[in-house]
Amino acid sequence: MLSAALAGVSFGSMLAMGVLWGPRLMEARGAETSLAAVLTAMSWLGLAVGAPLFNLLSDHWDNRRVPAVCGVLLQAAAISLLIYLPSETNSVSVVTMFCVGLFAGAHMLGFTVAGESVPGALVGSSAAIVNGVCFIIGGLLQAIPGRLLPDHPHLSDYGHALLLMPILLVLGALAGFFIHDTGRTRGSGASEVG
C-alpha cells in the first residue's frame, strides 16, 4: 500500500499537471493557448524518459527506496517551480513540464516494489492495485483544485489551489521511506516469478 501511495501521488500529480492544470496555469500567466499542447506533450515525453531511467538507476544502485524518494521530491520541486515562479517564459515552462514528467518516472518503482514484495501468483494483482490508485489520485487531483478555485481565478488563486500537489508529493516521499526495499532481494523474487 505504501508503494501504491508513492506511485499514486507521483503519477496523479503528473497527470493532473500535464493534462489540465499546467496549461491552465500558463494561460493565467498570459501564455497563448497553443502552448497547452506543447506543455502536455513535454510532460508525457519526460515520463517516457523517466520511467525506464528510474528503474535503471534503482537496478544500478541495487536500491528501490532512494531513487523513488528522490524522484518524488524532485517532482514536488518542479511542480512548485511551475506554480510559484513569479514570471515565466515559455521555454522555462516547457523545460519545467518536461522535468515534472521526468521525475514522475519514479512512480514506476511503486509497481516494481509491489511486484517484488508479493508471491509470483499475486504480481498481477499488485500491479492492478498500484495502477488503480494512480488513476484514482490522478482524477482527484484534476477535480479538487477546480473546486477550490473561484469562478474567475487569478494567478494567485491557482497557487493556493495547486499547493495540494507538492504537499501530497512530500507525503508520498515520506511513505517511500517506509517501503520495503526490494532492490537487494530481487534475485530471490525473480526466481519465484519465473
Side-chain angles (χ1 to χ4, degrees):
M1 292 312 294
L2 291 172
S3 60
L6 180 139
V9 296
S10 180
F11 179 79
S13 296
M14 195 288 302
L15 185 66
M17 286 303 288
V19 171
L20 179 62
W21 295 115
R24 293 273 311 270
L25 180 63
M26 293 311 298
E27 287 173 11
R29 282 200 157 92
E32 303 207 6
T33 53
S34 60
L35 182 64
V38 174
L39 292 176
T40 298
M42 291 308 291
S43 65
W44 288 104
L45 179 62
L47 183 63
V49 173
L53 177 65
F54 276 94
N55 257 325
L56 288 171
L57 286 173
S58 74
D59 283 345
H60 180 71
W61 293 336
D62 203 23
N63 189 303
R64 305 287 188 229
R65 185 181 299 130
V66 170
V69 169
C70 289
V72 172
L73 289 175
L74 288 169
Q75 184 184 0
I79 289 177
S80 298
L81 281 174
L82 196 66
I83 294 171
Y84 292 111
L85 281 179
S87 62
E88 201 167 356
T89 64
N90 289 354
S91 59
V92 171
S93 66
V94 167
V95 170
T96 307
M97 281 297 279
F98 177 83
C99 289
V100 168
L102 177 71
F103 298 133
H107 92 277
M108 293 303 292
L109 293 174
F111 289 92
T112 304
V113 170
E116 292 174 346
S117 298
V118 297
L122 297 177
V123 170
S125 298
S126 71
I129 290 168
V130 174
N131 196 47
V133 169
C134 286
F135 280 96
I136 289 168
I137 292 176
L140 290 172
L141 289 179
Q142 289 180 67
I144 292 172
R147 303 291 259 166
L148 299 175
L149 287 170
D151 289 338
H152 303 288
H154 298 288
L155 185 57
S156 62
D157 296 321
Y158 283 97
H160 299 309
L162 298 178
L163 179 63
L164 177 65
M165 287 182 220
I167 290 172
L168 284 177
L169 286 164
V170 169
L171 292 175
L174 289 175
F177 281 113
F178 298 99
I179 61 173
H180 177 63
D181 191 356
T182 59
R184 293 175 187 84
T185 60
R186 74 178 182 278
S188 59
S191 63
E192 282 180 27
V193 175

